[in-house]
Each structure stands twice: as C-alpha cells, then as structure tokens.
Amino acid sequence: MDESNGTNRKRAGDEDVFYGYLNSSSAELDGNVKLEEMEPLTKAQDDGNLNGNNNISLTSKIPNGSKKCEDFEEILEVVGSQGRFQKILLYAVLCPIVTVSPFLVLNTVFMWDVPDHSCHVPGRDPDMSIEEWKNLTLPWELGPDQQWRHSQCKMFENVTSGKEIKCQFGWDFDKTDYESTIPSEYEWVCDNDFYATDCFTWGSFGSAIGTILFGIMADKYGRKPTFFMACFVNVLFKTVSLFLAHRYMVYKTLQFLGGFAFPALFSMPALISAEVSGTTYRSWIYAVTWMIWVVGNSLIPFVAMVCRTWFIFGCVAAVPGFFLFLYIWMVDESPRWLISVDKTERAIQIILKIARTNGKQVDPDVIDRMVQELAAKQKKEAEGQNFGVWTLFSKFQLAKNTVMLITAWTMNALLYYGVTLNSTHMAGNTFVNYFLLSIIELPGGWLAGKLVETTGRRWTQAAFFLLCTLSCLLCAVAVAYPNSSVIVIIGALGIKFGVTVASLVVYLQGTEIFPTMLRSTGSGLASTVSSCVGIFGPYIVYSGTVHVSFPYAILCVCSFIGLLAATCLPETFRQPLPESIQDANKFGKGQKFWSYLPQQQESGSDVKKKGSMCEKF
C-alpha cells in the first residue's frame, strides 16, 4: 500500500496502474465533493494531479479496503462505455441489420393492398368507354367516405334490368399502382375482403407468441443465438409462403409462423448494443436504430413501385434476410447477460476485447475480480428466488412500472401500425403517402435522441402522445369532408412524427426499468401484450370500410390512454441500469408526479450525487 495517496498499486506491463479509492471517505474534491473511489489512473495521471477531473463513481467498500464492484456500469467506466467498440457495433453491425429488417416485416403492406375494383361484366362494345359501360352495368353505392361510387361487389343482372346480383365473372382491378397484388390475383375482395385483414391479424398473433418464446430464449440462452434464430424463422416461413399464396389457410398459417420472429429482429441487436454502452450512449443507440429503420422502411415503396407484381416484390424483399447470417461471426454475446447467468470466463474475454478495441489499458486480474464480484452479488441476490414473468409483479413499485410501461408500449404499437397500415387507404398516391409517413420518422428519431437527454424520458413521451391525440382528432374530423386530403395527410404525418418519438422513448425505458436477469423477459412481455392487443390493429383499419373517420377516432382514444400511462412512469434519465429486483423496485420511489428531472443516482447504490461531481458518459 502506498500510504501517500491511499491507493493499491499493481504492476501492469511497463507502467504502473493504480486501482482503489481514497481511504478517507471525507477526502474532498474542489472543496465540496467527497470521494470514496476512483477509476484506474495511469501513473502519469496520478503524478500530474489528482484533482477530481477523472472518472468517479461511488461504490461500497469491503472490509479489506479494496473496492467492490456493484454493477456493470463500473466495468464499462474502466473499459470504455462509448468508445470505438460501441461505435463499430452500432454503425458497422447494427445499422445494416436494421436497414433490411423492414423489408422482412412490412413488405406485406403492399403485397396485400387491395386496388380499386369493380365487377367484370363481359360484352362491352369496343366503341363504348369503360365509364359508360360501368354506368350501364353497375349500380351506385355510398362509400365509407360518404361519397357515391360504382359498386365494387354488385352488378345488374342485365343492362335492361334493375336487379342487383353479386359479381358473376370476377373483377376488374385498377392497375395504376400494381400489375398484381395477392388480393387482386386471388380475389380477396367482397365476400373475401377480410382475408388480408386476417393475415395481418395472424401475423400479429404469431408475434405475440414469438415474443414470449424468444424473450425466454434471450434470457436463458443469450441475445445472440436468439437473434439469429429469429432471422432463420422469418426468412424460412416468409419465403416459403410466396409459393403457397394460392392456398389461403396454408398461407395464413405461414404468416403466423413467420410472425414469431418480428420483435426479436428489431429488439435483440439494439439490446446487445445497449447493454455494452453507457447511460448516455444508450439513448443514441435507440435513436440511430430507429432512424436506420426509417431509411429501410422508406425504400420499401420505391422497390414495390418498380417491381409492380407481388411475387417479384416478395422475392426481392426476402433476399436481404439471407445476408444477415454473415454477421454471426461479428456479433458478440452481451457480457452483461453472461455475468447474470454466471458465465464469467466468456464475459471477461468480451470485456477485455472491448477494452482493447477502445484503446484502454486494463489489468485482466482487476477485470476478473470485478466480474467475479458482480456475479457473486447477483447470484447472492438471486438465491432462493425463482425468476419469471411473475417476478415483475412481485413488488408493488415494479408491478406498477411494468403495467404502465406495457400500456404505453401497446398504445405506441397500435398507433404506429394503425397509421402505417392505413396509408394505403388514404387519398392520393399510395407509394408517396407511405414514403412521407416513413421519412417523417427520420427527424422524429433524431429529435427523440436529443430530447431524451435534455428533457428526459417521461415528459418527452407524454408531450408526443399529446401530439398524436390532437393529430388523430384532426384526421377524424377532416377525413369526412371532400377535398380534405392535404389536411388528412398533414394530420397523419403528425401522428407518425409523434409516435416515432414516443416509441423510441418507450423502447429505451424498457431497457432501463427492468432488471438485468429479466430485461429481455420484461421487454418481451410488453411486446407480447402489445402484439396481442395489436391483433385488433388491422380491424381498426378495417373499420374504415364502415366510415372513414372510425380508424382515426379509435387511434385518438389509444393516444390519450398512452398519454396517461406515460405520465405515470418514473423518470429514468441517466439512472444506472437496475441489476437486481431490488434495484428495479426503487425506480420512481420518491418522485413526485409533477417533478421534472430526478436527482441522479450512483450505480449500484442509493447514494445521491453531491455538489459538482463529474461523471464520464
């Protein structure tokens, strides 16, 4: 022990590296900040000055005088929490994966689109225009927009009779946007017009089941194998379904099986990246993830417009999925998860890799000790406890947070997919509408990444739920009037912009509210519930066949419910990730409803920061 500075000295290569803490808990920094423990300092740094500009975190001390690692955030402070490793993982691995994900999930929006149609009546004279022939052979009906149109499902028995009958000779479909879609090729219209809605519903039901299965897999077998299994499931069943679309029940079943994979395709890569990053960088990870998703999603309408036929488009959309498997050698397992399941040796290897990539010189023995201490701490806390979904409801505060998060998550999902699926029912060009509703997410994702680090998570989400509520109300009123398509599109853009910000916040909260051993299970539960409720999403859009205002009116109610749930969640701004059930149950305690940003807490403890103590992010 070097008594002059109160640190333990350990030889690491050719330079001295100092680990430990100032023995006196009353040692002061800049006259007003107390130190208990310091991060590794090189000899040069120590000789230069020890004035508190180094990374500092409060940890508990064990009797022998060495520091005790309380949570994974302290390990990240040593090896780097937003260095080169995190940036490579985000930009070189996560971004390409997320870019192709929309093609695997949302291609059916165009494949299942129902073009404008009417009964095919043979016998038209070549000299007679199509409109004149329709006036002779088709009755008029009041559409869901309360405007008169030619009937889509009925025809006159003959040109001299006024008797209306069902279409007898098939349908004529508008080919302005598509040469063919699955509904136009296999006649999913009129008596079968619910087929596309049912396929969306079965896919949502598959997602609900899949989030349970893949959520359990992620916590039991790891994030990495879960992600690549999800890729395999999606690519397999979605590709096979292209060749069996003519067999409706088989096709619908394949959509159910392919739907298993969706939540994991999006959440697992982001979760792996978030779990090896610091508190500030986590919000940026989710912002970038969302913006890259937008880039991929914005490309879908252009690919669909060029392909024009559903089968070619489906094949083109499936191809990128096969390239995802190339990343199996580039993605590492989450060391945070490895520690939580006591696989410390592998965790240490990955942590040292992070340090090397970030250019940090660390002593492997110190990393080993910190990992073992953290694993022992988590193991001790888990003794005698059987963790599962029910554990999230075992304590009042944790249960309340779980319920509110699930509610906000579910309302976000309903809003997002409701307005996305409804884009093909809006007036104007289908591809342009979809592109506008996609690209608006780009500034939304960027703004969300900035706001969550300035205005926090809670009130940011509440404010944009309010925007969604007002925008839905605008659309519900305007859509019932003719020549109001511009106003409706502006309102829909407001919905999409608002839900973009709110969704990014709720995904971020999902990684910050749940404890490590149940983080994927908790997020999976929220995603499962949202998928179960999302089963009704396609029917919300389908209600527009009764009256065009109904979908927006229902989404307005959903937005308001999400607003209430968002305000009841605790603020998690720059709080350490909870490692245990006890840590997770502390979130929100002591926070007043009208409070803004809470006082920051130290990793692994309830100790509040004092004075002007610096923290590296």
Side-chain angles (χ1 to χ4, degrees):
M1 173 72 72
D2 186 342
E3 298 295 333
S4 64
N5 55 26
T7 63
N8 294 322
R9 176 173 296 179
K10 186 166 185 175
R11 175 71 60 182
D14 293 331
E15 68 172 336
D16 289 331
V17 180
F18 293 80
Y19 295 88
Y21 55 90
L22 293 179
N23 287 331
S24 173
S25 61
S26 63
E28 295 190 358
L29 177 65
D30 294 336
N32 60 1
V33 181
K34 297 180 180 180
L35 292 178
E36 285 186 348
E37 184 253 336
M38 298 186 66
E39 271 202 345
L41 300 176
T42 65
K43 183 175 181 180
Q45 289 173 315
D46 183 69
D47 291 341
N49 71 61
L50 191 58
N51 62 8
N53 291 325
N54 302 295
N55 301 327
I56 300 165
S57 61
L58 298 177
T59 58
S60 62
K61 294 181 286 186
I62 58 177
N64 65 6
S66 61
K67 74 174 183 179
K68 182 178 180 181
C69 182
E70 291 288 341
D71 63 26
F72 194 76
E73 309 298 333
E74 297 174 25
I75 297 176
L76 287 177
E77 287 294 325
V78 175
V79 301
S81 61
Q82 57 179 46
R84 187 167 177 263
F85 179 89
Q86 285 81 7
K87 289 178 173 61
I88 291 174
L89 182 60
L90 175 60
Y91 296 114
V93 178
L94 184 59
C95 286
I97 289 174
V98 174
T99 301
V100 304
S101 295
F103 284 90
L104 303 177
V105 178
L106 295 175
N107 56 354
T108 52
V109 172
F110 294 100
M111 292 171 60
W112 298 342
D113 190 17
V114 182
D116 190 21
H117 55 279
S118 60
C119 296
H120 174 71
V121 183
R124 179 173 68 89
D125 190 305
D127 295 330
M128 182 178 290
S129 69
I130 295 177
E131 191 64 26
E132 289 174 333
W133 183 244
K134 284 184 177 181
N135 290 333
L136 283 175
T137 59
L138 303 178
W140 289 82
E141 65 181 12
L142 196 63
D145 58 355
Q146 305 307 300
Q147 303 297 311
W148 289 99
R149 68 180 185 184
H150 286 111
S151 176
Q152 293 185 330
C153 300
K154 292 182 179 180
M155 55 181 284
F156 291 126
E157 188 173 27
N158 56 65
V159 294
T160 59
S161 170
K163 183 179 180 181
E164 298 179 6
I165 59 175
K166 292 182 180 181
C167 298
Q168 302 295 307
F169 308 100
W171 288 262
D172 292 322
F173 290 90
D174 181 14
K175 296 188 177 183
T176 302
D177 295 330
Y178 315 95
E179 189 65 31
S180 69
T181 64
I182 292 179
S184 70
E185 185 161 331
Y186 298 109
E187 300 183 343
W188 291 4
V189 293
C190 296
D191 290 342
N192 298 328
D193 65 350
F194 59 89
Y195 277 14
T197 300
D198 280 357
C199 284
F200 278 119
T201 301
W202 277 59
S204 298
F205 186 50
S207 295
I209 303 299
T211 47
I212 297 175
L213 297 178
F214 284 108
I216 294 173
M217 280 184 61
D219 285 329
K220 188 171 184 180
Y221 301 108
R223 281 53 162 146
K224 179 179 176 179
T226 299
F227 170 70
F228 287 104
M229 176 59 72
C231 292
F232 176 76
V233 168
N234 182 276
V235 172
L236 174 64
F237 291 114
K238 288 299 182 75
T239 302
V240 172
S241 71
L242 295 175
F243 300 92
L244 295 171
H246 59 286
R247 303 185 62 179
Y248 173 66
M249 288 305 299
V250 175
Y251 182 79
K252 188 165 65 170
T253 302
L254 290 172
Q255 296 308 310
F256 167 74
L257 296 174
F260 277 24
F262 166 55
L265 281 175
F266 181 81
S267 63
M268 284 302 113
L271 182 60
I272 292 174
S273 187
E275 289 191 333
V276 295
S277 302
T279 54
T280 302
Y281 204 62
R282 282 198 301 270
S283 60
W284 179 243
I285 287 170
Y286 279 88
V288 171
T289 300
W290 195 276
M291 288 187 284
I292 294 301
W293 169 277
V294 172
V295 171
N297 197 23
S298 299
L299 294 175
I300 293 178
F302 297 107
V303 177
M305 182 172 60
V306 171
C307 292
R308 287 192 59 84
T309 63
W310 68 268
F311 184 79
I312 294 176
F313 175 58
C315 291
V316 171
V319 169
F322 292 95
F323 289 97
L324 293 180
F325 296 100
L326 299 177
Y327 284 94
I328 197 168
W329 293 279
M330 298 179 64
V331 178
D332 289 311
E333 185 55 85
S334 167
R336 191 188 294 264
W337 173 82
L338 289 169
I339 293 173
S340 72
V341 294
D342 204 28
K343 296 183 178 180
T344 56
E345 290 186 8
R346 179 58 183 152
I348 291 170
Q349 293 175 3
I350 297 173
I351 291 170
L352 292 176
K353 177 182 177 181
I354 295 173
R356 289 193 303 270
T357 307
N358 287 339
K360 300 285 186 178
Q361 294 184 357
V362 298
D363 188 335
D365 291 338
V366 173
I367 296 298
D368 182 275
R369 176 176 59 79
M370 295 179 75
V371 169
Q372 298 299 340
E373 287 176 348
L374 181 56
K377 173 180 177 288
Q378 294 180 2
K379 187 176 181 180
K380 182 178 180 181
E381 291 174 344
E383 284 180 357
Q385 300 185 44
N386 185 18
F387 295 119
V389 172
W390 57 88
T391 311
L392 297 172
F393 302 93
S394 61
K395 297 182 181 295
F396 175 78
Q397 188 67 25
L398 178 57
K400 188 203 80 170
N401 292 343
T402 300
V403 171
M404 292 299 105
L405 183 71
I406 289 174
T407 302
W409 193 305
T410 301
M411 296 304 106
N412 269 300
L414 277 177
L415 280 166
Y416 185 88
Y417 290 106
V419 72
T420 299
L421 296 180
N422 200 52
S423 64
T424 57
H425 299 273
M426 296 169 59
N429 185 279
T430 299
F431 304 113
V432 172
N433 289 342
Y434 190 94
F435 172 76
L436 290 176
L437 289 176
S438 298
I439 203 65
I440 192 65
E441 297 179 51
L442 201 57
W446 177 85
L447 181 62
K450 296 295 183 182
L451 288 179
V452 293
E453 289 302 321
T454 53
T455 60
R457 280 64 155 150
R458 181 180 176 225
W459 291 112
T460 298
Q461 183 174 203
F464 283 91
F465 262 128
L466 178 60
L467 174 62
C468 290
T469 303
L470 298 176
S471 298
C472 287
L473 186 60
L474 174 65
C475 288
V477 174
V479 74
Y481 294 90
N483 303 319
S484 61
S485 58
V486 174
I487 297 176
V488 174
I489 291 175
I490 291 174
L493 290 174
I495 300 171
K496 201 62 176 295
F497 185 82
V499 77
T500 296
V501 178
S503 295
L504 187 144
V505 175
V506 80
Y507 290 147
L508 182 59
Q509 288 173 317
T511 67
E512 295 178 329
I513 286 179
F514 298 120
T516 297
M517 72 287 294
L518 290 171
R519 187 162 295 127
S520 182
T521 299
S523 297
L525 174 63
S527 185
T528 298
V529 174
S530 70
S531 294
C532 289
V533 177
I535 290 173
F536 300 100
Y539 292 103
I540 293 177
V541 177
Y542 187 70
S543 69
T545 60
V546 179
H547 196 288
V548 287
S549 293
F550 284 178
Y552 295 110
I554 296 171
L555 293 178
C556 183
V557 174
C558 294
S559 300
F560 187 72
I561 294 173
L563 170 62
L564 297 178
T567 59
C568 293
L569 282 168
E571 179 57 73
T572 59
F573 179 59
R574 290 187 179 177
Q575 305 300 299
L577 292 182
E579 305 289 348
S580 64
I581 300 299
Q582 291 75 14
D583 292 339
N585 194 49
K586 294 172 186 176
F587 268 106
K589 286 188 176 180
Q591 292 185 22
K592 296 181 180 179
F593 180 82
W594 293 111
S595 63
Y596 182 43
L597 296 179
Q599 187 178 16
Q600 294 183 16
Q601 291 185 348
E602 275 298 327
S603 301
S605 70
D606 294 328
V607 181
K608 301 289 184 180
K609 289 195 172 195
K610 300 180 180 181
S612 59
M613 182 176 291
C614 300
E615 180 180 4
K616 180 182 178 182
F617 293 105

